[in-house]
Amino acid sequence: MSTLWNLGHLQPIEQIAVEGETMPVLFRNAVAKRGDTVFLRQKELGLWRSWSWRETEQAAREIAMGLAALGFERGECASILANTQAEWLLADLGILCAGGVSNGIYPTDAANQVQYLCQDSRTVVLFVENDEQLDKALEVRGALPLLRRIIVFDTEGLTRFEDPMVTSLVALRELGRGYDAAHPGEYEARCAAAQPDDLAVLIYTSGTTGRPKGAMHSHRTVLHSIRGFNHIIAQDERDDRMCFLPLCHVAERFGGAYFALYSGARLNFVENPDTVPENIREIAPTVIVAVPRVWEKFYSAVTILLSEAGRSQQLVYRWAIGVGQRVAERVLAGRPVSPLHKLLFHTARLVALNNVRRMIGVHRTRFVVTGAAPISPDLIRWYLALGVPMLEVWGQTETGGASTGMPAQRIKPGSIGPACPYNEVKLDPATGELLVRGGNVFLGYLNQPEKTAEAIDADGWLHTGDVGTIDEDGYFRITDRMKDIIITAGGKNVTPSEIENELKFSPYITDAVVIGDKRPYLTVLIMIDQENVEKFAQDHDVPFSNYASLTRAPEVLRLIEGEVERVNKKFARVEQIKTFRLLETQLTAEDEELTPTMKLKRSFVQKKYAQLIESMYKNG
């Protein structure tokens, strides 16, 4: 049983797990080292299918040689338009082993976005998940003269479909097997031909302002990042990972799939985004990397379930979590945990906390990692009280993932930790902006030299756009994005993310955008948690017919008002929310208001809901 007061098992791993200076060579060396042990698992039709390391390479080899048979040249780009699944990674590795550049496209992107991303990346081969994604590609292929072939993972529903440009992944692999047999040595030659400074991966930013920008990462920057991760969130062949975030995003691509490839951790793919809670309980990962939205949802589920539990169960939980919180506070303060508190904590786990951990699926977890967005310090303390260390990391697409990381031996909630040992981080003395320099920093933005020059200065420092502070221990703290800091009409600087994080700690609030720049007071737009608020309405006999009517119900408005009042008590008067509005539209990842990691786009929301915002200031 892991303990909060002895986290030696989370020490960084210094030695190199696998040699290699490019992704294909690293991959082949990993296969040679690990052979027939299981690398990938994916649940299909209720059964788990496994790929050993050798089987994974065989699939990637067939895809690489299939691409070669289609005339795919070194340095050309292939894109993947699909949800997170094993085939995504197999195609990705096949593209890299063929000497190509691999680019991911979010499956929620509309056809016109697919067109832009394929044009900008000069995509010549497009992998798509199914007939739904194929329809997008076919709709815009007339505007893509460089596109030569479309490869479909799942051809169910396409039995009568014929198109000379479209083929299945099964057919591509069969083509690759034949080409490989007729061209002995070509696969090995292509894998060996890649150079460390060759462009390997494109990751497009979410494009909250203007068109998405293609961040270019070479083999060298990718490997610098994934090798560095073992210095902050060490893992090895004994670990189980869950792959469920978008593989188009740097967190799952570098920190999930590529890091597992390097470290040897087993990678388990969920069935689909809707089955994550069920799959995590089944997989019981030993290490989990997720965005705050996921951690908030787990906490909310526990909170709501407890509200329905019997009086005795509630009392036991409150006692147990109270013990966990007292132990966690001692650990956070660097104070020794007495034998009595150790005994009480073990008892608390036995009578209640272990059940909560199993309900979430973290009962085997050594530690969890949160990143990609700010998180409430109270949420970190709650997981720590369960006995689960939560380590916050900070970084960007442009830095290949984490640039700072929280050491497990000295967690400071509200901080993002010190600089990772594989890069430098400092504050701009004039603006407080965080700057990053190191081998993990990207090459620049594809086809946008002026944006690259704006991002990376002459001394090699990446200007991140995040503003923060640093304490006497070298721990950084993000206060906000430079462009998001609010200056009220009275001249008061307000950090909206701190207020928003506290609001999102509520089980009834999914997201929030604080408004107030050049305004007399602060207001907020709130997106409710549909599942939890619907349950509240049902339990309290609140009538509603749809999502919009739910947001208008007086009882729901009073519920959210109470949550806002709770948060206001934590802030100075000038930082308190005067009024709020609920968004009446149920948003999904396909809506423009949300980023692929399910965060509200502040600038977009402010423009789209300008009239709603003005209604909060009419009588102010």
Side-chain angles (χ1 to χ4, degrees), residues 184-320:
E186 181 166 350
Y187 172 74
E188 291 77 10
R190 286 199 177 219
C191 288
Q195 298 299 307
D197 292 320
D198 287 350
L199 177 60
V201 169
L202 286 173
I203 301 181
Y204 278 84
T205 61
S206 58
T208 54
T209 55
R211 286 287 198 179
K213 301 187 294 290
M216 299 185 289
H217 276 283
S218 66
H219 292 276
R220 189 188 303 278
T221 62
V222 172
L223 267 59
H224 189 91
S225 294
I226 62 177
R227 284 205 171 107
F229 293 159
N230 255 358
H231 290 275
I232 55 170
I233 49 174
Q235 65 182 38
D236 57 30
E237 285 94 342
R238 294 168 293 181
D239 282 304
D240 263 299
R241 293 288 304 272
M242 185 173 71
C243 197
F244 68 104
L245 298 172
L247 276 165
C248 301
H249 194 275
V250 70
E252 195 68 271
R253 187 89 163 273
F254 285 26
Y258 290 175
F259 188 29
L261 188 152
Y262 171 69
S263 64
R266 185 162 59 175
L267 204 57
N268 299 272
F269 289 84
V270 300
E271 293 173 84
N272 59 67
D274 296 328
T275 62
V276 169
E278 173 188 328
N279 291 153
I280 191 174
R281 287 190 290 269
E282 187 175 3
I283 296 165
T286 57
V287 177
I288 309 173
V289 178
V291 295
R293 180 78 173 268
V294 173
W295 304 122
E296 291 158 1
K297 289 289 286 183
F298 289 155
Y299 167 78
S300 296
V302 172
T303 302
I304 297 301
L305 188 65
L306 282 166
S307 69
E308 302 170 347
R311 175 74 174 162
S312 60
Q313 290 175 302
Q314 291 180 356
L315 289 173
V316 169
Y317 167 78
R318 286 172 189 158
W319 175 83

Side-chain angles (χ1 to χ4, degrees), residues 317-328:
Y317 167 78
R318 286 172 189 158
W319 175 83
I321 201 70
V323 169
Q325 288 167 343
R326 289 191 292 275
V327 170

